[in-house]
Amino acid sequence: MPGCLAGLATPPPAALLLLLRGRSRMAFSAAAPSRAFQLRLNPLTGDSEWLVVDEEGEEGAAPPQTQRQLLAATSYLDMLNDAARNRAYRRAIDAAVSDPSARVLDIGAGTGLLSMMSARALGAVGGEGRGSVSACESYLPMGKLTRKVLRANGMENKVKLFHKRSDELEVGVELDSRADVLVSEILDSELLGEGLIPTLQQAHDSLLVKNPKTVPYRATTYGQLVESPFLWKMHDLHSNEANAADGVWLTPDGMENIVSVKLQQHAMQCDPLEDEIRLLSEPFKVFEFDFSERPESQRENKITIKTTGDGCVHAIISWWVLQLDSAGSIFYSTAPKWVRQSSIKDLPQCADDTKDWCDHWKHCVWFTQGRGAPVMKDQTLSLRASHNLTSISYQLLNPNDETCNGNLKADHLTLLPERIALYGDIYWRSALITAIKNALSDRSPQTCIVADDSIFLALLVSSLSPSSKVIAMFPGLRDTGATYLQAVAKANNFSMDQIKVIGKRAASLSADDLEHKKINLLVGEPFYCGSEGMLPWQNLRFWNARTLFDSMLSEDALIMPCKGVLKLCAMSLPDLWKSRRSLKDVEGFDHLVVNETLGACGDLPGEQQGPCLPYYVWQCGYTKKLSKVYSVMDFNFSEPIHSCFGKTKIEFSDAGTCHGFAVWIDWVLDEKNSIVISTGPDTRYWKQGVQLLSKPVEVNPADDSAALVEASFDPASGDITFSSSFS
């Protein structure tokens, strides 16, 4: 299950999880309650609040619904619906637990599935009462659920469960002796990001016998060179804004990398890009990690690659393959579809390669810098791969062993690939430039507030209106944003004397910051650093900021965008549905008890539906639109923030199975409604909200199928809730 050194759950996208142990060395079987504190971000204000997560419903604890929301946003449900993964682990554990006196340790227990598999395997070889199964799960909300699952399967006395990290376990205290079998699933899309190496190091040092059996037995990472115009746009901002030729330079000449994508592997579903990718090499092996041995903290590997065609290397797509058993007969692969369907030699083939789409493990993309590396067919390239405790990195070398990847300065801005692509998009840039030019025409010198973290708008307003005083809030970028603006000011024809970076949240703006002048122009994309993984309407933080500025606005203040429009489209999403569907039997173990807590779809009480969650819809496997796009409600930014309600009747344009709705916000930049930026599924740079139905519904326009969708916005929490009915 997800976690590092403790089985920490993957955090919800809108929350920063800080777990403080309320009671150290506390097994879940103890009578005294255990507590943890979790820091939750308020998306509308940027403020954070502590939530108490307790085991026994203590006074002051977060409401059960809040605790359920935290788990529903994790990848646990998707992982438990991955039948290929579950089957591979079950087979490997059955093979590994062959000694009736085996002592099994499960690190990062999750729902306890691997622990229960181990206990069952131990019982099958006559080990009940002789061997033992111990497990640790440090994330308390998950640990509470683990106990319920163990009880539901009569396993509470067969698995000893501890609420702590694995590095808090001690032989002679929690564990009677060192374990001779280790089972774990602390892997992310990159393999190492959840702390696999430090977890294995500490386990081999303190918790395991020499030469233990492990499940998995080995992991191997692979890579492949690709050319892809789409992936190129996600990292080469300088070339793309040069093509735009609109006079705004986020990356001026000589500072090409001052705004860049972070040099790391980026998790992404690459199968939808198959038709947009040109393969420039065969897959190549990068690193092997043997779980039965103490891993090194860092290694380097120089790989020789022969190219398979002419082109330009824009990225390295990587994945990993698990060998779960020592005999080499059980494999699980996260390879792209084009690799799994090939018959390439030296690549392990999964015995049952009917792997369904899943979201918990994606592919990874490492971007080459600049325009990429031009290559010719049959050219020999050298690639230097290295890893540290938590990540793998690459350096593509030319024949003279000089790196093709430029060095980045310490003060540059790093953004996600989707934002890099957006900032280089000529249509998006043109829309904002036109809207700002219109706003500034025939207006006197102004005090302009950039309410969010938009470096584009800060540069644009400053360069187009030299007589205006521009105040950039930059609540996320802060000092880094100020340093960046200073570096690019000259290239964009403005002086730093006319711009001031506050570096605070909206509530901190004072009349002194404005020099007691009124705000004439309030702008935002809106974009807030750190909000990329959130639901679309959590960028309504802009509306909340506008409300906080209300007394500081001039009577004729122009606000851009002037409104947001909640949009939706009925969708067939069979792959996403399968990954979020309710659980029953998982490899022989009852998991009904987890469905409500993990936000499952189908077979829930009444018409209860799971939460609306953020996804890049284009990465959600097979998708099909079943209706046109409908507007549900407007958010009018000329007014202070308030509750909103809307409803619309959906008429279906295509027959199929409706699994739910994709939901997003279109930002209307001008009062004439002539300049609109859509964040819907047709644009691949934003996540949409996906509201899955309690049960799929067959729809057909020939039958006059229709649905009524209602939505309600709560300004206190920033949440939008949905309900739907079909006729």
Side-chain angles (χ1 to χ4, degrees):
M1 290 298 178
C4 65
L5 285 178
L8 275 178
T10 302
L16 171 65
L17 306 185
L18 299 178
L19 300 179
L20 305 180
R21 298 191 303 280
R23 299 179 60 90
S24 64
R25 308 197 182 285
M26 172 64 65
F28 271 136
S29 57
S34 181
R35 309 182 80 196
F37 302 90
Q38 183 159 315
L39 196 60
R40 185 178 68 172
L41 182 69
N42 183 321
L44 287 188
T45 65
D47 295 330
S48 55
E49 60 178 338
W50 285 105
L51 298 178
V52 178
V53 182
D54 78 295
E55 187 180 350
E56 295 186 357
E58 287 187 338
E59 184 178 353
Q65 178 62 26
T66 300
Q67 297 188 33
R68 284 196 295 270
Q69 289 173 349
L70 297 174
L71 283 173
T74 66
S75 60
Y76 285 111
L77 185 62
D78 179 78
M79 191 173 294
L80 290 164
N81 269 311
D82 186 349
R85 164 197 173 271
N86 300 337
R87 186 164 50 248
Y89 264 95
R90 186 256 304 160
R91 292 175 57 207
I93 288 173
D94 286 347
V97 183
S98 56
D99 183 348
S101 60
R103 293 150 296 175
V104 183
L105 174 61
D106 179 5
I107 295 180
T111 63
L113 177 62
L114 304 187
S115 296
M116 293 188 295
M117 288 179 176
S118 301
R120 181 174 61 188
L122 193 59
V125 295
E128 190 166 344
R130 298 171 62 186
S132 65
V133 178
S134 300
C136 59
E137 174 55 60
S138 72
Y139 184 37
L140 182 55
M142 191 70 241
K144 293 166 62 177
L145 192 59
T146 312
R147 290 201 301 156
K148 293 180 181 179
V149 176
L150 292 176
R151 288 194 193 108
N153 289 277
M155 287 281 183
E156 65 269 35
N157 295 321
K158 297 180 181 180
V159 176
K160 192 175 183 182
L161 182 64
F162 296 95
H163 165 47
K164 52 184 60 182
R165 301 192 307 266
S166 59
D167 64 348
E168 296 176 302
L169 300 180
E170 291 186 22
V171 174
V173 182
E174 293 84 8
L175 305 180
D176 295 333
S177 60
R178 286 179 175 252
D180 43 35
V181 180
L182 171 68
V183 298
S184 63
E185 200 277 72
I186 43 176
L187 315 171
D188 69 347
S189 296
E190 188 180 4
L191 188 73
L192 305 182
E194 290 186 359
L196 174 66
I197 289 178
T199 300
L200 289 177
Q201 288 177 336
Q202 189 274 335
H204 279 282
D205 290 344
S206 305
L207 305 176
L208 302 176
V209 300
K210 188 176 181 180
N211 300 319
K213 293 182 178 181
T214 62
V215 179
Y217 177 76
R218 177 181 292 132
T220 305
T221 59
Y222 293 87
Q224 192 166 23
L225 306 181
V226 302
E227 177 182 81
S228 166
F230 177 74
L231 295 179
W232 167 66
K233 290 179 180 178
M234 300 184 90
H235 73 270
D236 187 5
L237 175 56
H238 182 73
S239 296
N240 280 287
E241 70 174 355
N243 293 338
D246 51 28
V248 181
W249 289 101
L250 298 173
T251 58
D253 290 340
M255 292 181 279
E256 289 83 355
N257 290 322
I258 195 168
V259 181
S260 70
V261 67
K262 190 172 182 179
L263 285 179
Q264 66 178 39
Q265 296 201 80
H266 296 268
M268 186 183 303
Q269 298 279 6
C270 291
D271 285 344
L273 300 176
E274 183 175 4
D275 294 337
E276 303 176 53
I277 283 177
R278 187 179 182 200
L279 304 178
L280 295 179
S281 76
E282 297 291 348
F284 48 84
K285 186 182 295 186
V286 181
F287 287 113
E288 281 191 353
F289 298 89
D290 191 334
F291 288 43
S292 64
E293 299 177 357
R294 189 185 193 278
E296 298 178 54
S297 297
Q298 54 190 26
R299 284 184 295 167
E300 189 173 286
N301 185 21
K302 190 173 181 180
I303 306 164
T304 300
I305 304 168
K306 187 175 183 180
T307 58
T308 56
D310 299 342
C312 188
V313 179
H314 292 134
I316 300 168
I317 293 178
S318 65
W319 63 92
W320 46 258
V321 176
L322 285 185
Q323 178 186 326
L324 287 102
D325 65 327
S326 58
S329 62
I330 306 170
F331 293 93
Y332 179 98
S333 173
T334 65
K337 183 170 59 177
W338 66 79
V339 174
R340 298 199 313 270
Q341 293 177 345
S342 68
S343 56
I344 301 172
K345 294 181 179 179
D346 302 324
L347 278 183
Q349 297 295 315
C350 300
D352 181 8
D353 197 19
T354 57
K355 182 175 177 289
D356 291 330
W357 177 91
C358 64
D359 196 51
H360 59 96
W361 288 321
K362 303 179 179 70
H363 315 115
C364 280
V365 177
W366 176 277
F367 297 101
T368 57
Q369 291 299 294
R371 293 182 177 273
V375 297
M376 298 180 65
K377 185 178 181 181
D378 296 328
Q379 181 177 347
T380 299
L381 299 179
S382 291
L383 179 70
R384 181 179 294 131
S386 59
H387 77 76
N388 56 23
L389 289 174
T390 57
S391 64
I392 297 173
S393 59
Y394 299 96
Q395 193 176 56
L396 191 60
L397 307 173
N398 69 19
N400 297 319
D401 285 348
E402 294 179 2
T403 179
C404 294
N405 293 334
N407 294 321
L408 301 178
K409 295 181 179 180
D411 59 352
H412 74 289
L413 293 181
T414 56
L415 302 173
L416 291 184
E418 290 79 12
R419 182 134 297 267
I420 294 291
L422 183 67
Y423 277 161
D425 186 86
I426 187 171
Y427 301 105
W428 181 86
R429 292 167 67 102
S430 177
L432 285 178
I433 290 171
T434 300
I436 290 295
K437 283 183 175 179
N438 291 344
L440 293 173
S441 63
D442 301 323
R443 298 178 73 90
S444 58
Q446 312 185 28
T447 297
C448 173
I449 299 287
V450 179
D452 57 0
D453 284 308
S454 176
I455 56 174
F456 187 85
L457 285 175
L459 291 183
L460 181 60
V461 177
S462 299
S463 61
L464 290 180
S465 183
S467 59
S468 292
K469 181 66 177 180
V470 179
I471 296 178
M473 296 303 298
F474 284 5
L477 292 177
R478 302 196 176 194
D479 291 343
T480 306
T483 303
Y484 165 78
L485 290 180
Q486 189 170 15
V488 301
K490 184 177 180 180
N492 286 277
N493 302 311
F494 69 88
S495 167
M496 284 302 292
D497 293 337
Q498 72 182 92
I499 189 166
K500 179 180 181 180
V501 175
I502 300 295
K504 298 177 182 177
R505 294 189 290 271
S508 302
L509 187 70
S510 67
D512 289 339
D513 294 318
L514 297 173
E515 298 176 355
H516 298 276
K517 296 179 180 178
K518 292 291 187 179
I519 301 169
N520 308 106
L521 180 63
L522 176 63
V523 299
E525 296 182 23
F527 160 67
Y528 294 90
C529 284
S531 67
E532 295 91 342
M534 296 184 182
L535 290 161
W537 41 90
Q538 291 173 332
N539 279 321
L540 290 174
R541 180 175 173 178
F542 175 80
W543 195 11
N544 187 68
R546 173 259 177 266
T547 304
L548 293 171
F549 298 154
D550 192 57
S551 63
M552 307 178 197
L553 296 173
S554 66
E555 290 185 3
D556 62 345
L558 187 62
I559 298 171
M560 190 200 86
C562 64
K563 69 177 178 179
V565 182
L566 188 69
K567 300 276 190 171
L568 66 76
C569 177
M571 301 287 296
S572 180
L573 301 159
D575 292 323
L576 182 60
W577 171 269
K578 289 177 183 177
S579 77
R580 300 291 307 178
R581 65 187 169 190
S582 60
L583 300 166
K584 296 178 181 177
D585 178 288
V586 180
E587 291 299 322
F589 296 105
D590 182 1
H591 273 68
L592 282 170
V593 69
V594 310
N595 287 326
E596 185 176 358
T597 302
L598 296 184
C601 302
D603 299 320
L604 297 181
E607 292 299 312
Q608 180 179 330
Q609 57 189 14
C612 190
L613 296 173
Y615 290 97
Y616 290 109
V617 168
W618 71 272
Q619 295 187 42
C620 287
Y622 175 81
T623 64
K624 179 184 177 182
K625 295 179 182 178
L626 298 177
S627 74
K628 68 177 186 179
V629 174
Y630 288 85
S631 299
V632 184
M633 61 181 168
D634 291 356
F635 309 103
N636 187 350
F637 301 150
S638 67
E639 304 168 351
I641 193 169
H642 56 79
S643 59
C644 299
F645 175 83
K647 62 181 178 180
T648 188
K649 182 181 179 181
I650 305 293
E651 296 180 348
F652 296 97
S653 55
D654 264 308
T657 304
C658 182
H659 295 98
F661 303 95
V663 195
W664 64 94
I665 290 182
D666 282 358
W667 305 103
V668 181
L669 302 187
D670 64 332
E671 295 177 351
K672 297 179 181 179
N673 295 334
S674 62
I675 307 175
V676 180
I677 292 178
S678 177
T679 64
D682 290 338
T683 55
R684 296 187 284 186
Y685 306 143
W686 288 278
K687 285 188 175 183
Q688 293 78 43
V690 176
Q691 179 64 68
L692 294 173
L693 301 174
S694 57
K695 292 179 177 61
V697 177
E698 294 297 324
V699 298
N700 192 329
D703 299 334
D704 294 325
S705 299
L708 179 65
V709 178
E710 298 181 346
S712 179
F713 169 66
D714 178 4
S717 64
D719 292 335
I720 295 181
T721 54
F722 298 89
S723 63
S724 58
S725 58
F726 286 75
S727 60

